[in-house]
Amino acid sequence: MPDPPRVGERAPDDLAAGGAAVVAFLRHVGCPFAEATMVAMRTEAERWPELEWIAVSQGTSAATDSWCEAVGGCGGVRVVADPERFAAWGLGRSGLGHFMGRRSLRSAARLARSGIRNRHPSGNRWRPAGTFAVDAEGVVRWRHLPEHAGELPDFGAAAGAAGGARG
């Protein structure tokens, strides 16, 4: 499996071929961190409409569609159910500490207090998330590879790096 693309390298495929984009690979659908990521993406997609917002799910298409509905919709985010794409972007397998470590469990408890809890999962709990900002030429301009499952990306920074211009 290749390493995740670094800043300055070409994106590994044409997922973001429509222009500048923010691409977020979600933990399994049903994961509270995936839900928090989607909520943040929807918000930023409204603020940065000139960018394409893409969430890649590792769940089945049916489970992903059901999950999107359960979390309040996916708004201006294009959702792609394609677990094989994770490997193409270098997102393989995490360790137990990544999603069951102290920092992740604290983050899960914080999300639970805000109403975001584990739902029926579809996908692989061992696969980590990853977020990339890709410019209009297909070059990665920003990336976030979380140290633990509860570390969510800064979508404002990603949008700016992808070439977004606030209106």
Side-chain angles (χ1 to χ4, degrees):
M1 175 182 326
D3 289 333
R6 297 184 188 288
V7 172
E9 294 179 350
R10 294 203 56 77
D13 61 29
D14 64 351
L15 180 64
V22 176
V23 181
F25 290 81
L26 303 172
R27 290 188 41 78
H28 67 87
V29 295
C31 173
F33 305 123
E35 182 172 340
T37 299
M38 180 55 69
V39 169
M41 283 187 84
R42 280 193 319 243
T43 300
E44 292 302 319
E46 289 177 15
R47 295 177 64 203
W48 305 82
E50 70 278 11
L51 298 175
E52 185 173 12
W53 292 83
I54 305 166
V56 182
S57 163
Q58 52 176 307
T60 65
S61 292
T64 299
D65 291 346
S66 176
W67 174 79
C68 276
E69 187 177 315
V71 301
C74 292
V77 178
R78 177 168 62 104
V79 181
V80 177
D82 186 353
E84 300 308 313
R85 234 182 252 268
F86 281 74
W89 286 68
L91 300 171
R93 182 178 165 93
S94 65
L96 184 62
H98 184 78
F99 70 89
M100 289 297 292
R102 198 174 1 185
R103 294 177 296 175
S104 293
L105 294 175
R106 256 196 317 265
S107 296
R110 180 181 41 78
L111 289 175
R113 286 190 297 274
S114 73
I116 297 176
R117 292 182 171 78
N118 226 358
R119 298 175 186 270
H120 299 289
S122 177
N124 184 340
R125 291 179 189 268
W126 293 98
R127 187 167 278 155
T131 304
F132 303 87
V134 180
D135 69 15
E137 285 76 44
V139 176
V140 174
R141 295 298 174 193
W142 179 94
R143 77 177 189 176
H144 177 259
L145 303 173
E147 290 183 26
H148 61 89
E151 184 182 281
L152 303 180
D154 177 345
F155 285 115
R166 293 220 180 171

